Amino acid sequence: MALYKVSRTDGCRYDEYDAIVVRAASEKAALEIATSGNEERYGSHVEWDAQFPGFDRDGSNLKAKLILSAGTAGLILGSFNAG
């Protein structure tokens, strides 16, 4: 396992994350953690409830950078911009 900093490549507004640090087996796994969330269904309407608001579900506004190795998978640090 390694540590990855996953950060936004676009601007950030209030009540959104601009970066997190996660422990993951690969860059792909780090991006999967960063884009996690739940689908909420209201009849035929579907909404995405992101675990990290501001991170696009498809990861298109994110980049991951390896920063350290060792440990188990999971969130290490989240950077959230409160409004």
Side-chain angles (χ1 to χ4, degrees):
M1 294 285 173
L3 291 178
Y4 288 87
K5 177 184 175 189
V6 180
S7 56
R8 301 266 301 265
T9 59
D10 59 355
C12 187
R13 298 183 301 221
Y14 291 124
D15 299 333
E16 292 183 343
Y17 284 84
D18 61 354
I20 60 173
V21 175
V22 297
R23 191 179 315 278
S26 66
E27 181 178 323
K28 180 182 176 194
L31 290 169
E32 287 174 0
I33 292 168
T35 57
S36 63
N38 297 304
E39 273 190 358
E40 301 293 336
R41 296 186 178 272
Y42 306 97
S44 61
H45 180 71
V46 178
E47 288 185 14
W48 179 248
D49 182 20
Q51 181 174 358
F52 304 105
F55 286 14
D56 288 348
R57 185 177 185 182
D58 64 0
S60 61
N61 69 335
L62 302 175
K63 64 180 177 182
K65 179 181 177 183
L66 177 69
I67 58 174
L68 187 62
S69 296
T72 59
L75 178 69
I76 303 300
L77 172 71
S79 177
F80 181 74
N81 295 286

